[in-house]
Amino acid sequence: MAIPMLRASAPPGHLGALFHFNVKKPLHLQRLPCSPTELNPVLQTQTDEVRSESGLSLSVGTHLIPHPNKVDKGGEDAFLVSGCNGGVIAVADGVSGWAEQNVDPSLFSKELMAHALSLLGDEEVNYNPRMLLKEAHAATSSVGSATVVVAMLERDGILRIANVGDCGLRVVRGGQIIFSTSPQEHYFDCPYQLSSESVGQTYQDAVVSTVEVIEKDTVVMGSDGLFDNVFDHEIVSTLAKHGDVSEAAKAVADLAREHSADLSYDSPYSIEARTRGLDVPVWKKALGFKLTGGKLDDITVIVGRVVGPQESSDTR
């Protein structure tokens, strides 16, 4: 998560004033934001074969684009992809406000994802994303906090999801979104988060969902850098243009990056900000101005396509 870049847009002939809102911080300081793992290089695109010998599994493509000011360290988002069971995918979004205390916000999310990866296969967390969050959080010693979403696919087609905060997931079938996670927040721009401090949330606060998926369904997971800048219908239309999961992940991430830097774009984030009362002064509204713009942020996109055993064997 990062500082949103919004502006007041106006009818033709008027100039908009640029607005900077610094509202995302760690919870105990009333601030919030997102973080990456050593598993993700900058501007990474890759396809991971996480298919099983029998039943359904995932073919996964990933793409990560750091915030423009965080390219040198790879941003603060972290993700994992594993072939455990039918496939496991997860994204953690480090809270960037920790940088105000000279804490690297990426460390918490990186360590959280590293522990989650190491715990896969343990009986206690098998097929249980909430328990995976519990154990990974308990093992994480870095100072910081992160929002997170985890999805685990069983070979019978049951997708189990747990999310804390505003990282999200969509399931697309036949050009329609059939399932969406909902963000959790204390107030606008202050999402739930797993933290190194007791003031944060725990695995018990995770929203757990179960979705039955079928062959050719597509799972789209991402940090809020995706969902704050791209509407669901744009995700669906972009997926329709790309049969390869890696190409699809890159295309969706690139679209989010393009929108994030567009000060005239009426993004999901700017629309939400206006509904929560963050807008231009009344006198500017009278002149036709409104708050618009994308939100510069780390952007992580994971696209997973559900495949069957026959397709898996055919593509090896």
Side-chain angles (χ1 to χ4, degrees), residues 1-4 21-27 29-34 70 76 93-100 147 165-167 183-185 187-191 193 223-225 227-228 269 278 295-297:
M1 304 172 205
I3 300 172
F21 287 91
N22 185 5
V23 290
K24 286 201 168 185
K25 308 193 174 197
L27 185 58
L29 297 177
Q30 292 189 322
R31 60 180 148 145
L32 258 272
C34 274
K70 303 172 185 178
E76 297 166 357
D93 180 355
V95 173
S96 61
W98 284 97
E100 297 176 15
T147 62
D166 56 5
C167 290
Q184 299 168 290
E185 60 180 15
Y187 50 84
F188 179 64
D189 234 10
C190 183
Q193 56 196 278
S223 58
D224 66 337
F227 298 108
D228 281 344
Y269 185 87
L278 293 175
K295 189 184 76 169
L296 289 175
D297 205 345

Side-chain angles (χ1 to χ4, degrees), residues 80 90 111-120 125 132-133 136 150:
L80 73 81
E111 186 182 353
L112 183 69
M113 289 291 93
H115 285 304
L117 183 62
S118 69
L119 287 162
L120 293 177
V125 303
L132 181 63
L133 290 180
V150 177

Side-chain angles (χ1 to χ4, degrees), residues 153-173:
L153 179 62
E154 300 179 21
R155 294 176 182 175
D156 61 0
I158 301 300
L159 184 69
R160 301 190 184 279
I161 306 150
N163 68 284
V164 177
D166 56 5
C167 290
L169 179 146
R170 308 286 188 265
V171 177
V172 181
R173 177 182 299 164

Side-chain angles (χ1 to χ4, degrees), residues 241-309:
K241 300 174 185 176
H242 300 278
D244 178 80
V245 288
S246 292
E247 292 177 358
K250 182 179 185 302
V252 172
D254 285 345
L255 181 62
R257 176 174 56 180
E258 177 184 344
H259 286 338
S260 71
D262 186 350
L263 296 174
S264 64
Y265 173 60
D266 205 9
S267 64
Y269 185 87
S270 60
I271 292 172
E272 180 69 12
R274 293 199 304 272
T275 64
R276 301 297 187 94
L278 293 175
D279 208 339
V280 297
V282 174
W283 67 270
K284 288 194 174 184
K285 283 187 179 181
L287 295 175
F289 287 84
K290 68 178 181 179
L291 202 65
T292 62
K295 189 184 76 169
L296 289 175
D297 205 345
D298 298 320
I299 298 164
T300 298
V301 177
I302 299 177
V303 174
R305 190 147 294 138
V306 180
V307 298

Side-chain angles (χ1 to χ4, degrees), residues 85 97 205 229 277 304:
N85 299 318
D205 296 294
N229 287 301

Side-chain angles (χ1 to χ4, degrees), residues 50-86:
V50 294
R51 299 168 177 176
S52 59
E53 294 293 335
S54 61
L56 298 179
S57 51
L58 291 173
S59 175
V60 179
T62 61
H63 198 74
L64 186 153
I65 304 175
H67 185 291
N69 296 335
K70 303 172 185 178
V71 172
D72 289 346
K73 69 173 183 179
E76 297 166 357
D77 280 357
F79 67 84
L80 73 81
V81 175
S82 169
C84 185
N85 299 318

Side-chain angles (χ1 to χ4, degrees), residues 165-234:
D166 56 5
C167 290
L169 179 146
R170 308 286 188 265
V171 177
V172 181
R173 177 182 299 164
Q176 301 289 328
I177 291 180
I178 64 166
F179 173 82
S180 299
T181 56
S182 297
Q184 299 168 290
E185 60 180 15
H186 300 279
Y187 50 84
F188 179 64
D189 234 10
C190 183
Y192 283 23
Q193 56 196 278
L194 299 181
S195 175
S196 59
E197 302 199 358
S198 58
V199 70
Q201 281 63 60
T202 73
Y203 74 100
Q204 294 177 314
D205 296 294
V207 174
V208 177
S209 308
T210 301
V211 184
E212 186 172 359
V213 296
I214 59 176
E215 284 189 58
K216 299 183 180 180
D217 281 357
T218 302
V219 179
V220 180
M221 177 182 284
S223 58
D224 66 337
L226 167 61
F227 298 108
D228 281 344
N229 287 301
V230 181
F231 291 97
D232 283 354
H233 69 87
E234 294 178 299

